[in-house]
Amino acid sequence: MQIFKKKHQIVISYLVITLGILVYTFAWSAVLLPAKIVGGGVSGISALIYYGVGINLPMGVTNFILNAILVSIGFKVLGSKFGANTIYGIIMSSVAFVLWQQVLHVETLFDVSQFGGFMCAIIGGALCGAGIGMTFSMGGNTGGTDIIALIFSKFYNISPGKVILLIDIVIVGCSYFLSHRLENVVFGYIVMVTLSYVLDMVLDGNKQTYQIMVFSKHNAEIGQTVTTEVGRGATLLDAEGCYSHQSNPVLIVMVHKSDKPHVMQIIHRIDADAFISVTRTQGVYGRNFEKIKL
């Protein structure tokens, strides 16, 4: 039964990874490429080659060749740090580009000239972020410039995130030499910002946690009700008011975004005059929350 459950989870994860890659490559094929907007990563380099060589070189082929070169270098420099998900993501993204462009011709679905560059950047960036988010959420990736970032971080004291950002800035900036239009470069940066925002929303939206501090004479009752109805632990801390010098425990509750409205309803129901402080946390680790990843 345990083996079946594990296989079932693997199948679901690869289905989600595949769907995410299809969404990501669709955004490039149907929106960004027809609008001649270049984003970051290996897909951005492939787009530059697609626009610049003057021949109809399939983006899927370029994407596969570039990723294959990067993975080969990565294996040599970093060792075997690339799992099956990376290889699958590279192959699947290359196949998906060919499917959308050479087989289905999705670029004919929309007249991007009616949207304008700004809307194409927003729509394309949002779809890319959603697709990458789904892929990342299941442990997948599409290879790309993160391999270069890992190589740099091995030899230099610089974080992979900064390397990826710098590479993407350069890639998008190079699009100016093809179109000689500054607005296309700006649209490329808009794609990057939109992609990052939507990616964070997909990955962390449901995991967002809040710290709720309650100052009330009924904190013991509120804490017990939260534990019973919501299933979240609560903590009472000894406290003393600086003005009144009266001792009264402060209640602290850590909850997920989905549990926050229920907790607020409980507090209002028990003590409508309670003083409440709600803070969005950077991360909560431990039982029923995130695990520390080293």
Side-chain angles (χ1 to χ4, degrees), residues 45-142:
I45 300 175
S46 300
L48 289 174
I49 296 174
Y50 181 83
Y51 296 136
V53 295
I55 60 175
N56 188 20
L57 182 64
M59 189 170 168
V61 175
T62 311
N63 183 77
F64 180 79
I65 293 174
L66 291 175
N67 272 305
I69 294 172
L70 289 174
V71 169
S72 299
I73 297 173
F75 268 118
K76 187 174 182 179
V77 177
L78 301 173
S80 55
K81 290 188 176 181
F82 307 103
N85 286 354
T86 300
I87 305 300
Y88 177 80
I90 291 172
I91 295 174
M92 187 62 208
S93 60
S94 301
V95 171
F97 273 123
V98 173
L99 172 68
W100 293 132
Q101 293 180 314
Q102 276 67 47
V103 179
L104 299 178
H105 297 284
V106 293
E107 67 274 6
T108 61
L109 289 177
F110 311 107
D111 183 4
V112 294
S113 62
Q114 294 183 352
F115 296 155
F118 180 77
M119 284 303 299
C120 286
I122 295 294
I123 295 170
L127 288 174
C128 284
I132 295 177
M134 286 188 285
T135 303
F136 282 3
S137 68
M138 291 297 169
N141 64 79
T142 58

Side-chain angles (χ1 to χ4, degrees), residues 2 34 55-56 78 126 135 175 202-203 227 238 268 272:
Q2 188 70 22
I55 60 175
N56 188 20
L78 301 173
T135 303
S175 64
V202 172
L203 291 178
T227 302
D238 292 332
H268 185 267

Side-chain angles (χ1 to χ4, degrees), residues 29-49:
S29 303
V31 182
L32 296 180
L33 281 177
K36 294 187 177 181
I37 298 175
V38 175
V42 167
S43 297
I45 300 175
S46 300
L48 289 174
I49 296 174

